[in-house]
Structure formats: C-alpha cells, structure tokens
Amino acid sequence: MLRLTILCFLVISFPQVFSEIYSSIQSVQDAWGLEREVLKDADEVLKDFNTSTISYPYDIHSLDEFKSFLAKTNELHQKYDDEDALAVYLQHPIHIYHFIKRCVVDWRFHTQHFYYLGEDMIEYAGMLVDLFDEYLLWPSRTDLTAASLGFLRLDKFYQLSFQEIANGSIQGIPSEPLTVEDMYDIAMIGVENWRPWSAVKWLEEAATRLWMGEVGGPGATSYAKVALKLAEVYDKFGDHHLAAFTAETVARMEPQSEYFQDLLGYYKEKNATYPSREIVPHKQFHLDQDQYESLCRGEVPEKPANVIRHLRCFTKPSAIPYHLAKIEVLHVNPNIYIFHDVVYEGEQNEIRKLARKNLERSTITHLEGYPNTGEFRISRTSWLYGLDPDAGDVLPRVYKRAQQLSGLKIELVDGLPGFSGMQVLNYGIGGMYGPHVDIIGTYKDDEYDVNNLSPLGDRIATWLLYLSDVEYGGATVFPHLGVRVPNLKGSAALWYNLNRDGTPDRLTLHAGCPVAIGSKWIANLWFAYNQQVFSKPCLPDNKQGL
C-alpha cells in the first residue's frame, strides 16, 4: 500500500510560512531539506512498486529515467548531508539555480509520466503535484524567474564574464557549468522582464557554444533556433542591423528554407526602413546608478587630501570596562564609522538561530503606506524583541554594547529597546537593497513631516552589525558620498541619518550591494532622536560625531 509519508511529513515538520524561496539562502536550505524527505519517500514508493504491471516500453523507459534522476539527486544529497557543507555549497548562485530548476522543471517532468503507470503511481503523482503547486516551501516558477534575474543582476553590477559564468566560475570560485539550455532559459527571462542587454549576451554565448559544436538540451536544440531568437530580440529592442546580420547567418546555412529566407527579408526591410540603435544596460534605480554599481565593484573614487586627512583608524576608551574600541573613520560630515570586533562568534550564532524561526519576505513601504516586495529589496527579515524563551540575554547584551561604544542611548524596557527591536536579515541569490534612507519621517511638499512619528522621534543613527562573511559582493555603499563599507564579520557600521537639529541628512542615502557568493546575515539597531537629549544636544554647527 502506498505510504502517505510526504503529506505526513509536510503537516508535522514544516509550517507553511515560506514563499519566494530565492530571497534568502536560509530558505533555500530549508527547501533542500524538504527535497531530501521527498527523495526518501520516492525510494520507498519505487521499492514497493510492481514493475510487471507496465506494458509499454516507453513507460518502462520513463520509469528508468526517473530512477536515474533519483540516483543522481540522492548522490548530491549524500555529498552535502552535513549542514556546514550544505551551507557552503548553497552560497554559490549557480548551485542555487540548479537546485531551484531541478525542483521546478525536473521533478515535474518526471511526475507527469506517473499517470500511465497504474493506480498507486497516479496517487503518488497527485500528492507530488499538490506539493509542487500548493506548498510554499517548495520552489516555484517565481523562484526560477527570480534566480535567473539574479544572474542578470550580478553580471551587470560586477561586469562578470559571461563565458566564466557559463563555465561555472564566478570570480574564480567554481561550480557546475551552465548548459546551453540554461543560458537560453535565463535569456528568455531577461526578455520577459525587460533586460534586453543581458538577454542578448546570454543568447550570444549560447549561440557561440552551439556553433562550436556544444550539444544543446531539449529547450534549445540547435544553433538555428537560438540564432533566430537572438535576431528576434535584436529586432524587438531596436538593433535592426544586428537582427538582419544574425538572420543572414541562419539563412546561409539552409538556403532552401523559404521560412528562413522570408525572415531574412523581413529583418532586412526593417533595417533599411528604421534607424538602428545599440542595446545598452538598463538603469534599474536611475538615482546614482553608475556610482552605486562602481562602488559595489570596489571602485571607490579618489578623495582629495583635505578629506583623506580626516580618515583614520584609532582606539578609544569606551564605557565598557578595560575595553578599547577599535574605530575606523570612513567619512566625515556626515560621519560614517566601522567599529571592529563588536559582536562575538557565539552571539552571531545565537542571533542567526533566533532569526531563522520567523524569517519573512522583506518589504518596502509605499508612500500610500502599504508594504510591497520586488527586486528593489531581495532578502528575508526577522524582528527580534527578546520575547523568545530561548533568547537568553544575548539581545540586551548586544544593545548595551552598542550604547557603550557609540555613546548613543537606547531606552530599554525590561531589557528590550523602547524604539524598535533588532531587525535581522538574510539575503538570497543576488540579494540586495536598492538606494534608500533609514529615516521613517516623510516629506510633504518637499518639507520634512514629523507628524507621523512616535514621541521618540526619527532614527538619528543606524548601527549595522555584520553577522557573517560574504565571499564576494554584499557591501554597503553610499552613492552620494563615494563610500563603501565592506562586509566584515563581527564588525558594526555606524552613521547618522539626522543632523543635530533633527532634519534628515539626505547624503546618507545608502544601499546593499548584490550578494554574488555567500550567505549575508546582518542586523540593524536604530537610535531614536528624542532619546539623545543629553548625549547629543542640538548645536548650531549641525555636525555629528563621536
């Protein structure tokens, strides 16, 4: 009798709280654990299945193909059975892409054949389809689209080599290579989501590999198919010259094909009729986009001598007994600092452990006041208030240390911050946060409006803790200032969002760079303006400092 272990496992083991798996590496790891259980169940189903009931050779072949798929997938799970090894494996975006595509495409492909294998397999197929369609922890088509967009974002921000990515390497860090079919699929996502420049580059790479003799998959089986799609994309986005040139290469291969000759005539006519324009990378955020991307790549603009003389590293006695704070000044007026070694390894682990329990998709709030998700912010968020019985004293300890080092105050009520809790974030494939400011006050007719603020006031300063290493990408950058804060595990960045008179400092516009390799964990604490009456009184020069 067919076991119902899949459904039992889902009900007992995983609460249905996840969606948009791609937005957090932790969520991808959780989905990997679900696939491991589905694999175990599939092995049991096949062990009990009577193959003598199959009469058609094609059905036998389909079952053999499924067994081969299970064997390869099981081998991968056995290789990364250790939690630490899996965490490292899933830090590479190509590994994440292959996992998500396996869940979305390969599992469904094999499941569709079960409906011809008898009553038990039909029941099993129905259970799997329910899992794929309805269970929020299983990756969806949305995740596959977002993972593809993650690649497009990374190659644009970091000017990565398409050839190296296709070969499975990002900044020299290897993984399995992408197939021609992968490249074609990623390019199609680019076309659908108005990323023509990246789509063209991926199609060009796929066409080149097919021309050189690489075998394509079922989704992109020939040079002609990819090249004609490339010509279509050139034409759609205005490069009629390259559309005609590409179509001509295909028409020359098969001069007897009326279809190819007609297409060539169509593209030649458009090239002769309409002006052609080069397809260029799009600007997603418009505001300081070039500066944003160059800072993410580590291209920090050279600063004049009168600025450099204020940038230094120093130690300073703090309110912590026998402790010298290690401080690095990255910018003056507005002041941006790095405090080194301020959160310890055990505390980092505890905070991440607490946050994993209730990670939810990060949102941004529109002017109308409703939350929204999208490419502007790709991560998952957990708010920690210390109410968890497993929290112990780690949060009050971290809050207190932030006060002692920064000289700013957080009003604690029963050991918890009266202003806001700790915001913990984990980023996903190409995870980022576009340019934004941390103030919560709004502007009305270009005037700063404080009427919607609590009695504690706005966020005078941000204390940003880095809770993990990131191998490549993930820096915090300030486009208006040309400042880049590296992701240094155990450190904290401090900057002021408000002037001393309480008005916003718009120069503190900042952004989180896309994560290329690694799992980025950070935590935010904010200091309230009205709690700094004695530590930061209003001064006429309006400058902030330690």
Side-chain angles (χ1 to χ4, degrees), residues 60-292:
I60 296 175
H61 172 73
S62 298
L63 188 61
D64 289 340
E65 287 286 306
F66 180 56
K67 289 179 179 179
S68 176
F69 165 74
L70 289 180
K72 291 178 182 178
T73 309
N74 267 312
E75 183 181 351
L76 195 59
H77 274 262
Q78 289 168 7
K79 184 177 180 179
Y80 299 104
D81 187 53
D82 178 73
E83 185 176 343
D84 292 336
L86 176 62
V88 173
Y89 176 76
L90 290 178
Q91 289 182 9
H92 202 296
I94 293 180
H95 294 155
I96 298 174
Y97 174 80
H98 282 149
F99 166 63
I100 291 176
K101 189 172 184 181
R102 182 170 72 240
C103 291
V104 174
V105 177
D106 297 344
W107 276 98
R108 288 180 181 273
F109 172 78
H110 291 290
T111 301
Q112 67 184 349
H113 297 295
F114 296 163
Y115 290 100
Y116 305 98
L117 301 181
E119 184 178 336
D120 279 354
M121 292 303 283
I122 290 174
E123 184 181 357
Y124 178 59
M127 293 166 58
L128 284 178
V129 169
D130 287 342
L131 168 69
F132 301 154
D133 290 342
E134 299 177 11
Y135 199 68
L136 299 180
L137 188 55
W138 190 266
S140 67
R141 180 66 61 177
T142 298
D143 292 298
L144 186 57
T145 296
S148 301
L149 290 174
F151 277 119
L152 305 186
R153 190 180 310 112
L154 292 176
D155 62 48
K156 180 175 180 294
F157 265 79
Y158 298 113
Q159 299 179 352
L160 303 175
S161 162
F162 287 86
Q163 293 83 2
E164 288 187 10
I165 299 176
N167 290 332
S169 176
I170 295 179
Q171 291 298 106
I173 302 169
S175 71
E176 303 99 340
L178 295 171
T179 66
V180 170
E181 183 184 356
D182 292 333
M183 299 175 216
Y184 184 87
D185 291 343
I186 291 170
M188 291 302 95
I189 296 297
V191 173
E192 293 167 9
N193 290 271
W194 210 258
R195 304 289 192 277
W197 181 82
S198 294
V200 161
K201 295 301 181 183
W202 280 110
L203 284 172
E204 288 175 344
E205 184 64 26
T208 299
R209 289 173 182 252
L210 288 167
W211 181 265
M212 300 298 292
E214 187 170 321
V215 177
T221 54
S222 69
Y223 170 81
K225 177 176 180 176
V226 176
L228 286 180
K229 179 57 72 173
L230 180 57
E232 179 186 324
V233 175
Y234 281 140
D235 179 69
K236 178 178 180 179
F237 293 102
D239 199 332
H240 307 300
H241 172 71
L242 282 180
F245 175 82
T246 306
E248 189 169 6
T249 64
V250 179
R252 285 177 178 175
M253 295 171 61
E254 298 190 42
Q256 306 304 319
S257 170
E258 291 185 12
Y259 175 68
F260 290 163
Q261 298 304 320
D262 289 344
L263 275 178
L264 175 59
Y266 169 76
Y267 288 131
K268 278 188 172 181
E269 181 180 351
K270 289 196 71 174
N271 186 37
T273 306
Y274 301 101
S276 189
R277 64 177 183 269
E278 182 184 3
I279 299 173
V280 297
H282 82 294
K283 291 190 175 183
Q284 183 177 358
F285 306 114
H286 305 288
L287 187 66
D288 284 326
Q289 180 76 21
D290 294 335
Q291 177 84 317
Y292 175 21

Side-chain angles (χ1 to χ4, degrees), residues 426-458:
N426 181 229
Y427 289 75
I429 180 169
M432 55 166 284
Y433 194 174
H436 63 284
V437 291
D438 280 359
I439 62 169
I440 52 180
T442 57
Y443 278 86
K444 185 180 294 183
D445 299 326
D446 208 37
E447 291 290 328
Y448 182 54
D449 180 16
V450 297
N451 292 325
N452 65 329
L453 297 176
S454 76
L456 293 175
D458 213 330

Side-chain angles (χ1 to χ4, degrees), residues 6 9 16 105 139 174 320 348 409 439 467 480 483 503 506:
I6 293 180
F9 173 77
Q16 296 192 34
V105 177
I320 304 174
Q348 297 164 31
K409 301 300 180 186
I439 62 169
L467 304 178
H480 289 336
V483 172
T503 58
R506 297 194 189 191

